[in-house]
Amino acid sequence: MSRVLVIEDDADVGLALGVLLRRSGYEVDHVQTGRAGIRAVHSLRPDLLILDIGLTGMDGWQVLERVRDLSDLPILILSGRGQEADKVRGLRAGADDYLTKPFGSNELVARLAALLRRAAPPTWATEIYDDGRLRIDPLQRSAQLNGVEVRLTPTEFRLLAVMVRHQGSILNATQLLAQVWDDPSGLGPERVKFAVLRLRRKLEVGNSTGSLIESVRGFGYRFHRSC
Ligand code: CA
């Protein structure tokens, strides 16, 4: 039985979705805030996420970005706004489908079934990395160097996480663009170069010696663990 997580702040809509989806044979969990949603994605590991964009507190866009750091599970966005720009933004930010409220229940169920049919089983990148000097916690989206929090932008965090996951191997700019940037079309190797420079600078503060990220001229970049 597929497990669907619903992040929707409107209790009535959440309840209605729960009834509809259970009737259609899904196991359903519903949470009302983005923060609870990210925790639930981590702990429940659902097969599919239905994400409302108009949440109070952390909005759906932020949740989408955070969830994408953790997993490639299929995400269907629900939004009250039907503007094309929002749809494009959602799809570019890594959503798999988009539905505007109010929607027909048959359409929702059909889209979920199609998403699950197309999707490979989700993969998860939720493990904490800790080599004694650098510590990365994907769920908290925090990076610490020698016990001190390093403030990273979402792109820098993702860049670091991807390089750490491939530690010891050289990743070229094209690979990094594809894995780190949501919409790499029109971006070139310069973008990667500057992002790596900024990241290296942030990781070299304090009394650390040597660089964690090596530039290999003509090839790309490589992360070395520090011990
Ligand atoms: Ca809402």
Side-chain angles (χ1 to χ4, degrees), residues 12-98:
D12 292 337
V13 177
L15 199 66
L17 280 170
V19 170
L20 170 70
L21 296 175
R22 280 185 199 102
R23 212 169 53 207
S24 308
Y26 296 102
E27 200 177 322
V28 186
D29 299 282
H30 171 223
V31 296
Q32 289 185 269
T33 67
R35 286 191 194 288
I38 291 167
R39 280 198 302 273
V41 164
H42 178 66
S43 59
L44 302 174
R45 301 203 165 193
D47 300 293
L48 190 142
L49 171 63
I50 297 180
L51 173 63
D52 178 35
I53 285 298
L55 298 171
T56 44
M58 181 188 254
D59 74 13
W61 298 119
Q62 292 169 288
V63 177
L64 177 60
E65 199 177 84
R66 295 286 304 273
V67 170
R68 271 291 166 257
D69 283 347
L70 301 175
S71 176
D72 57 358
L73 88 168
I75 300 176
L76 181 134
I77 282 186
L78 289 183
S79 168
R81 293 162 293 184
Q83 282 99 356
E84 198 188 7
D86 266 359
K87 287 189 194 180
V88 171
R89 180 176 174 189
L91 297 173
R92 281 196 173 157
D96 301 275
D97 203 356
Y98 190 106

Side-chain angles (χ1 to χ4, degrees), residues 93-165:
D96 301 275
D97 203 356
Y98 190 106
L99 209 51
T100 306
K101 295 179 194 170
F103 50 83
S105 32
N106 291 338
E107 182 176 8
L108 175 71
V109 170
R111 282 178 186 246
L112 288 193
L115 278 177
L116 285 166
R117 228 174 15 244
R118 286 202 302 264
T123 57
W124 300 86
T126 54
E127 262 163 50
I128 291 173
Y129 171 84
D130 193 343
D131 63 17
R133 185 159 75 146
L134 180 67
R135 184 179 196 276
I136 302 171
D137 182 341
L139 183 63
Q140 301 299 330
R141 196 190 245 171
S142 90
Q144 292 181 346
L145 190 63
N146 301 323
V148 179
E149 187 73 25
V150 184
R151 294 176 66 91
L152 300 177
T153 65
T155 301
E156 287 162 357
F157 185 85
R158 216 178 281 183
L159 181 60
L160 179 60
V162 166
M163 296 220 284
V164 166
R165 229 175 288 153

